[in-house]
Amino acid sequence: WARHMPDDFHSRGSALARRYAYVLLESPVRPSVEAGRVGWVFRPLNAAAMQEAAQMLLGEHDFSSFRAAQCQSHTPIKTLHRLHISQRGALWRFEFEANAFLHHMIRNIMGCLVSIGQGNQSPDWMREVLLAKSRDAAAPTFSPDGLYFDRAGLLWIQTDMSGQAIG
């Protein structure tokens, strides 16, 4: 759909929520056809451990531990509404939805989730990382391959084709 917007509308600043997806290939062999389009791990991942850790990130938190040094956000406090993890064969999909994200926040969370999923850390480690409020506490930044912007939620009231408010 497309529609005219008010003059003060800003595609980035007027969004209430943003949704990203990270696609990860779990395979003993480095991706060939999918190279550059998926993240990659060669060791098996534990879904239950990653899901347990992901629950600790939901809600409003100071995400400083997942913030890149170049981040220009005025505040590290963000609200993560959803972090859904699913698997289909060798492909994993991580869906993130928040009011806003810090620079490299998803890639830094992915680094921690993969470390937990591979058994290098316990799920409780995610809480320690979050509470540390220090980038040094977290895993290395994960690859950008596989990270996709999905959509933005908008600030104004949704209207139907006639201009009537919906919901």
Side-chain angles (χ1 to χ4, degrees), residues 2-3 8 33 49 59 63 66-67 75 89 98 101 125 137 140 149 156 158:
R3 64 175 61 135
D8 62 348
V33 174
F63 283 94
F66 306 100
R67 182 180 196 166
T75 177
F101 290 93
W125 177 66
F149 177 72
W156 65 91
Q158 289 277 5

Side-chain angles (χ1 to χ4, degrees), residues 129-148:
V129 171
L130 183 64
L131 294 175
K133 299 177 186 168
S134 169
R135 183 67 194 102
D136 294 334
T141 304
F142 209 69
S143 167
D145 298 344
L147 181 59
Y148 297 91

Side-chain angles (χ1 to χ4, degrees), residues 74-165:
H74 298 294
T75 177
I77 298 172
K78 305 298 175 197
T79 303
L80 186 62
H81 300 290
R82 183 170 183 260
L83 201 174
H84 179 74
I85 303 169
S86 59
Q87 181 185 14
R88 177 180 261 170
L91 287 176
W92 291 82
R93 182 178 173 92
F94 299 77
E95 297 174 4
F96 297 83
E97 185 173 332
N99 64 333
F101 290 93
L102 302 169
H103 189 69
H104 288 178
M105 180 173 156
I106 294 172
R107 292 176 54 201
N108 292 330
I109 291 172
M110 283 300 301
C112 290
L113 287 173
V114 167
S115 185
I116 291 165
Q118 291 179 333
N120 300 326
Q121 300 287 345
S122 74
D124 288 332
W125 177 66
M126 187 66 86
R127 184 183 330 278
E128 294 173 27
V129 171
L130 183 64
L131 294 175
K133 299 177 186 168
S134 169
R135 183 67 194 102
D136 294 334
T141 304
F142 209 69
S143 167
D145 298 344
L147 181 59
Y148 297 91
F149 177 72
D150 188 5
R151 69 183 71 150
L154 304 174
L155 182 62
W156 65 91
I157 298 172
Q158 289 277 5
T159 58
D160 64 17
M161 298 294 266
S162 69
Q164 295 291 339

Side-chain angles (χ1 to χ4, degrees), residues 6-108:
D7 290 338
D8 62 348
F9 172 77
H10 186 278
S11 61
R12 184 173 169 197
S14 298
L16 284 178
R18 292 112 176 110
R19 187 180 299 172
Y20 285 85
Y22 194 98
V23 181
L24 183 66
L25 176 67
E26 178 188 310
S27 171
V29 179
R30 186 178 294 276
S32 57
V33 174
E34 304 95 343
R37 298 190 311 229
V38 297
W40 174 64
V41 293
F42 61 89
R43 292 177 46 207
L45 297 171
N46 179 325
M50 291 188 298
Q51 289 169 346
E52 182 180 340
Q55 294 304 305
M56 297 174 197
L57 299 175
L58 296 178
E60 183 179 272
H61 300 285
D62 180 330
F63 283 94
S64 292
S65 293
F66 306 100
R67 182 180 196 166
Q70 323 75 308
C71 185
Q72 297 178 359
S73 177
H74 298 294
T75 177
I77 298 172
K78 305 298 175 197
T79 303
L80 186 62
H81 300 290
R82 183 170 183 260
L83 201 174
H84 179 74
I85 303 169
S86 59
Q87 181 185 14
R88 177 180 261 170
L91 287 176
W92 291 82
R93 182 178 173 92
F94 299 77
E95 297 174 4
F96 297 83
E97 185 173 332
N99 64 333
F101 290 93
L102 302 169
H103 189 69
H104 288 178
M105 180 173 156
I106 294 172
R107 292 176 54 201
N108 292 330

